[in-house]
Amino acid sequence: RLNAAGARAIQIRTGDLCHLEADQVNRAFQQLALDGVDLLVIENVGNLVCPTAYDLGEQLRLVLLAAGGGAWWLYSERDSLIADAIRTYGPQILGVPVKLGGVKTDVANQTAALHGLVIGNPAGFATPHALSLSAVSVKLDIGSLTKDVILIKEISVVKPDISYEHKSGGSNLDVIQRNAESYVVKKTAEFGGGKDDKKDAAKKEPGKKLIIENFYLKDARANVSAEILQGKAMSVPIADLHLTD
């Protein structure tokens, strides 16, 4: 519609991302004749947070929120939308079953929590899962998302149960890591990444820094197994942990 109205427009597909990134915008620039252009608008349609958190090199940033029933629906259903996204994309990225009891976000208190998360094992491994946990919660300084340093006030991981199972060819955790890396490589290739990104990497400005003020680990347990044990594991409790800064 913009092209039909006489305004030159380039559509950028972000794939699984909820936001635009500077390198995607830069590639789109190559398709535009910028001589004589007085105003360039980058329209970034996403959820209520992501589009404002990434620097695209713009001189002015405006945030427009959908009004009325649509905005209220997104706000009221945000927990189920996040949970559905984890259940859908988790298995695709990790290559194993992913179960989730639920998500609870509290915008006023700037907190978010996952409950009843279970990450299964790749095919051929006998232990019940790679990771399960009762809850993981994060308290974030939302205002820091638009700054150079993102501040996480607290991360709390409750009752994680981690299983390390080794067999010929590597461990269950090795396989999950390779699955995730393969997914990233595949998606990067699909959406235009590759050699040019590597060449430009050294020219890019440093990314955002992250500060975690408090990290809590509670009631953790580690399990170690080998192929010869046929799914049985040696289980070791891990002492509670509190790390600061």
Side-chain angles (χ1 to χ4, degrees), residues 47-234:
N47 61 30
L48 301 183
V49 176
C50 279
T52 66
Y54 292 82
D55 185 3
L56 302 179
E58 70 276 23
Q59 292 179 307
L60 176 65
R61 183 178 304 178
L62 299 177
V63 180
L64 302 179
L65 303 181
W72 172 250
W73 180 82
L74 285 173
Y75 180 83
S76 62
E77 297 295 325
R78 64 188 184 280
D79 292 353
S80 60
L81 291 173
I82 295 171
D84 288 345
I86 293 172
R87 296 184 184 113
T88 299
Y89 294 108
Q92 294 180 25
I93 296 170
L94 302 179
V96 297
V98 175
K99 298 179 181 179
L100 180 66
V103 173
K104 180 63 177 176
T105 59
D106 186 334
V107 176
N109 291 315
Q110 304 182 79
T111 61
L114 306 181
H115 298 279
L117 176 66
V118 180
I119 298 177
N121 265 327
F125 291 88
T127 47
H129 54 254
L131 169 69
S132 72
L133 52 84
S134 175
V136 56
S137 61
V138 177
K139 185 173 180 63
L140 172 68
D141 180 353
I142 292 180
S144 69
L145 289 175
T146 58
K147 299 178 181 178
D148 292 335
V149 178
I150 297 175
L151 176 61
I152 297 177
K153 296 181 178 179
E154 179 181 309
I155 297 178
S156 179
V157 182
V158 180
K159 208 173 182 178
D161 188 276
I162 305 169
S163 295
Y164 175 87
E165 182 179 352
H166 189 273
K167 59 184 300 183
S168 56
S171 72
N172 56 337
L173 303 182
D174 292 333
V175 174
I176 292 173
Q177 181 180 350
R178 288 197 295 268
N179 290 343
E181 291 171 349
S182 296
Y183 180 89
V184 171
V185 170
K186 177 182 177 183
K187 290 302 179 180
T188 300
E190 287 179 1
F191 297 106
K195 295 181 179 179
D196 291 339
D197 291 337
K198 293 178 181 178
K199 291 179 181 178
D200 294 339
K203 302 178 183 178
K204 293 182 179 179
E205 295 181 0
K208 291 178 178 288
K209 295 181 180 179
L210 182 68
I211 292 178
I212 302 173
E213 289 188 338
N214 292 280
F215 176 83
Y216 295 93
L217 183 68
K218 304 174 183 178
D219 300 325
R221 182 170 291 274
N223 309 290
V224 180
S225 181
E227 189 171 12
I228 193 172
L229 298 177
Q230 299 180 339
K232 296 180 180 179
M234 294 180 290

